[in-house]
Amino acid sequence: MRLSWTLMMLPVLASCGQANERICETPIASPAVGDWQGCVHRWAYRLASAPGSSAQVAQAVVAGCEDAVYASIKPDDNNGHPGELMADLLATAQRQALFRVTQARAGHCGAV
C-alpha cells in the first residue's frame, strides 16, 4: 500500500518547484530604455522568492524600475503636469508589480 501511494505521488512531487506554463509568461530578457512594464515583469520574477509579503516585494520591484518609468515620459507627454503623470505611472507600476510577483509565486516562474 505504501509503495503504491509513493509511486502515485512521484509526479506530484516532481512538479513542485517547476514553472506552471499556464501561469508564467517569459519576461523580455533586456527591456528597452523606458519599457517600465518589461522592467517590472523581469524584476518581479527575479525578486518573487525574496522574503516578505507580495506587496513588500512589489514595492522593491517598483523602486528598481523607477528610472524606466521616468525614461518612459516624453517631454510632450507632460502637458505641464509631469508630477501627476509620474504619480499615475508609479501607481500603475505598483499594481502591475503586485500582479507579477503574485503570478511568479503562484506559478513558480523562474527568474530571468
Side-chain angles (χ1 to χ4, degrees):
M1 176 79 167
R2 284 185 185 232
L3 180 60
S4 65
W5 183 83
T6 303
L7 292 174
M8 185 175 67
M9 291 304 294
L10 280 177
V12 174
L13 294 174
S15 68
C16 291
Q18 290 182 350
N20 183 332
E21 293 178 14
R22 294 179 304 167
I23 295 175
C24 301
E25 296 178 38
T26 304
I28 297 170
S30 296
V33 173
D35 178 11
W36 64 265
Q37 291 174 322
C39 179
V40 165
H41 189 176
R42 185 172 178 205
W43 278 106
Y45 275 31
R46 282 183 169 178
L47 299 180
S49 64
S53 70
S54 292
Q56 290 169 325
V57 175
Q59 285 179 324
V61 168
V62 173
C65 294
E66 278 186 1
D67 60 337
V69 174
Y70 282 114
S72 73
I73 299 173
K74 296 170 183 52
D76 57 334
D77 290 344
N78 294 336
N79 293 329
H81 305 286
E84 288 178 28
L85 179 58
M86 187 63 187
D88 288 346
L89 285 174
L90 287 174
T92 301
Q94 184 65 41
R95 289 189 301 273
Q96 185 69 24
L98 181 58
F99 168 73
R100 291 295 187 181
V101 168
T102 304
Q103 179 186 47
R105 287 181 172 185
H108 303 285
C109 307
V112 175

